[in-house]
Amino acid sequence: MTNIVAVGIQWGDEGKGKIVDVIAPHMNIVARFQGGPNAGHTLVVGGKKIVLHHIPSGILHAGVKCFIGNGTILEAQGIVEEMDSLTQAGFDIEGQLFISERTHLIMPYHIALDKAREQSKGKAKIGTTGCGIGPTYEDKAARRGIRLADLSAKNIEERLTNNLEYYNFMLREYYKAPEVDMADVQASLALLRDRVLPFSANVSALLHAAEQQGQRLLYEGAQGLMLDTDHGTYPFVTSSNTVAGSAMAGLGVGALSATEIVGIAKAYCTRVGSGPFPTELFDETGTFLAEKGHEFGATTGRARRTGWFDAVAVRHAVQVNGLTGLIITKLDVLDGLKEIKLCTSYELNGETLNHVPALAQDMNDSKAIYQSFAGWEGSTYGLTSPDDLPKEAQALLDAISQICDCPVVMLSTGPDRDHVMWLSDTLK
Ligand code: IMP
């Protein structure tokens, strides 16, 4: 039995969508365990662009079932648009997509508060995606959230009225922002009842049954470890646990369910939104990485900040996720660089740090200490065999593996499905 957890281990946007797309044909089920429409990946199918935010890219493979777990949150309009674009592109989602009845719902008042709050913070803003992620997870912890199952609760109207009163008070009195109309909330509810509720299921029970039948399960995370609400650069993080251990809570499967835990990282590093980023580049190399790597967010279209690979952060991710393998993406973006750097430690107030500091301010003040590597001649674009890798690229990968204390099990060398190098059979 092979059950795999696949997580991002930088600040998101590591190329998880593509990797899930590559591994999915070897699996029976792909199940997403946290996050919401703040995530996003763009897929081109038959010349048509499909942007998925909630639904795992496994949906593109006939016969692979896709689950959205209780640890995720969803927004009515967004998920319905994804469903429609998949149907229009010829994908049959019925019988292939299952959404946990315990999944919390993003309501119009969550989105309004997220935006109002960011606006009021000015320069101190986190740079959220504005999708209502923080307020929805807050409501979950505060026990006033609305889940898919709650749509059939007798007291749903009363709970919504109370919530709206609370949110409108905050919007009006504290943020001096426009209030949300009950009609918008009702419209969201109607859409959920009509279009989303038919997909609701007891995901935990379905996964348990699948495991008993010896099916192969892929647990897919969103964002990345450095955005984890506990292990990331708090408070510049998202509002859920992105760490692999959260797959179990976010899907309702046993703690021993996974047999492989893979962490996905770019061969360099990007970040959107505010927060510390010790290896950030402000020079022409940063621009080169941004342009060559097409570093613009799928959810917000914002330009991503770019920098060198941060092995301190990845080592932290290896430890807290318990990774069994690293998947390095976008290696080809480094083609053409004369020198490539890896950050191996930080320096803070004259002291060497080998770990990620808990305090964002300390991380912000940390200077990256680098090990330098020679770049390579020629192109790694689309390479599929390790024998074809330039020796300098191999040396860089060996160093990543050694410094981060984890083997590299797969490489992505271009945007297409076929642009991938399997370095281990454990994921097949
Ligand atoms: P939120 O998740 O929308 O609350 O945003 C919190 C922080 O996480 C912001 O810095 C976002 O830019 C970042 N973030 C959230 N989701 C993603 C993602 O999928 N990729 C990259 N950054 C993300």
Side-chain angles (χ1 to χ4, degrees):
M1 180 191 78
T2 307
N3 290 342
I4 304 166
V5 186
V7 285
I9 54 173
Q10 293 165 321
W11 280 278
D13 308 316
E14 299 91 349
K16 291 178 292 292
K18 172 191 164 166
I19 298 302
V20 168
D21 185 49
V22 167
I23 301 177
H26 302 271
M27 313 303 289
N28 301 101
I29 289 173
V30 178
R32 181 155 162 212
F33 59 84
Q34 49 73 224
N38 47 349
H41 35 263
T42 308
L43 305 143
V44 180
V45 186
K48 272 201 168 163
K49 202 166 107 174
I50 299 180
V51 184
L52 297 179
H53 296 284
H54 300 86
I55 303 175
S57 51
I59 200 80
L60 305 183
H61 299 274
V64 177
K65 291 200 164 81
C66 285
F67 291 67
I68 296 181
N70 58 276
T72 67
I73 55 179
L74 71 85
E75 193 277 320
Q77 189 74 42
I79 196 162
V80 167
E81 275 170 22
E82 286 171 50
M83 288 171 167
D84 287 345
S85 64
L86 284 165
T87 312
Q88 278 158 20
F91 294 95
D92 188 9
I93 53 172
E94 255 171 65
Q96 214 190 331
L97 179 66
F98 301 86
I99 305 172
S100 169
E101 55 209 358
R102 293 165 195 259
T103 300
H104 279 253
L105 304 171
I106 302 175
M107 288 289 158
Y109 48 77
H110 293 129
I111 299 171
L113 190 76
D114 190 5
K115 289 183 176 158
R117 204 188 255 167
E118 281 284 276
Q119 211 163 8
S120 78
K121 280 191 171 151
K123 273 194 169 163
K125 70 176 182 198
I126 288 173
T128 72
T129 55
C131 300
I133 305 298
T136 310
Y137 277 115
E138 283 166 41
D139 273 8
K140 176 176 178 175
R143 294 163 290 196
R144 63 172 168 258
I146 310 285
R147 305 167 308 161
L148 211 45
D150 296 328
L151 295 184
S152 41
K154 284 204 177 76
N155 62 354
I156 177 82
E157 295 295 333
E158 183 191 338
R159 285 167 58 191
L160 279 171
T161 306
N162 290 344
N163 283 1
L164 192 60
E165 202 177 304
Y166 170 79
Y167 273 91
N168 275 341
F169 179 82
M170 301 261 282
L171 287 165
R172 186 180 62 241
E173 304 296 331
Y174 193 83
Y175 293 104
K176 314 288 178 224
E179 295 183 30
V180 171
D181 238 25
M182 189 47 137
D184 292 340
V185 177
Q186 293 294 4
S188 177
L189 227 60
L191 201 55
L192 287 160
R193 284 205 174 100
D194 280 3
R195 302 287 312 276
V196 183
L197 205 53
F199 291 89
S200 83
N202 184 341
V203 161
S204 170
L206 291 176
L207 288 174
H208 182 70
E211 270 195 290
Q212 286 200 320
Q213 290 163 15
Q215 294 193 18
R216 293 164 61 97
L217 318 179
L218 173 60
Y219 305 142
E220 177 189 346
Q223 290 85 45
L225 195 269
M226 297 306 285
L227 290 172
D228 182 283
T229 196
D230 285 288
H231 304 287
T233 50
Y234 190 88
F236 300 98
V237 292
T238 190
S239 299
S240 63
N241 281 110
T242 61
V243 69
S246 137
M248 286 70 211
L251 288 164
V253 293
L256 296 180
S257 173
T259 50
E260 298 289 336
I261 305 175
V262 291
I264 302 159
K266 280 178 192 160
Y268 51 98
C269 206
T270 62
R271 170 164 208 168
V272 254
S274 325
F277 185 2
T279 63
E280 185 166 10
L281 289 165
F282 300 96
D283 58 8
E284 66 276 13
T285 308
T287 311
F288 171 89
L289 295 173
E291 284 175 1
K292 195 153 175 223
H294 307 291
E295 297 298 352
F296 296 92
T299 300
T300 59
R302 286 180 292 179
R304 296 174 184 147
R305 300 153 68 190
T306 53
W308 293 118
F309 186 94
D310 185 342
V312 180
V314 170
R315 201 164 48 216
H316 168 64
V318 168
Q319 289 169 13
V320 298
N321 283 297
L323 296 186
T324 58
L326 292 173
I327 296 178
I328 304 294
T329 61
K330 293 192 153 186
L331 182 73
D332 57 297
V333 173
L334 301 183
D335 290 352
L337 287 173
K338 291 228 160 6
E339 184 192 26
I340 295 163
K341 292 183 182 180
L342 292 187
C343 166
T344 53
S345 62
Y346 302 149
E347 191 188 297
L348 178 67
N349 303 327
E351 281 191 30
T352 303
L353 289 188
N354 289 309
H355 63 273
V356 173
L359 203 59
Q361 184 62 57
D362 282 349
M363 188 143 172
N364 204 43
D365 294 344
S366 291
K367 186 174 153 229
I369 306 299
Y370 291 109
Q371 192 173 334
S372 185
F373 293 81
W376 47 86
E377 303 266 316
S379 165
T380 61
Y381 184 83
L383 291 186
T384 54
S385 163
D387 298 338
D388 297 334
L389 273 180
K391 65 178 190 320
E392 294 86 356
Q394 189 60 61
L396 180 74
L397 294 167
D398 289 346
I400 288 177
S401 173
Q402 197 235 325
I403 296 166
C404 301
D405 197 20
C406 192
V408 177
V409 293
M410 189 189 278
L411 284 183
S412 170
T413 54
D416 288 359
R417 255 180 204 167
D418 301 336
H419 296 159
V420 38
M421 198 179 286
W422 297 81
L423 301 171
S424 154
D425 282 338
T426 52
L427 307 181
K428 281 189 179 167

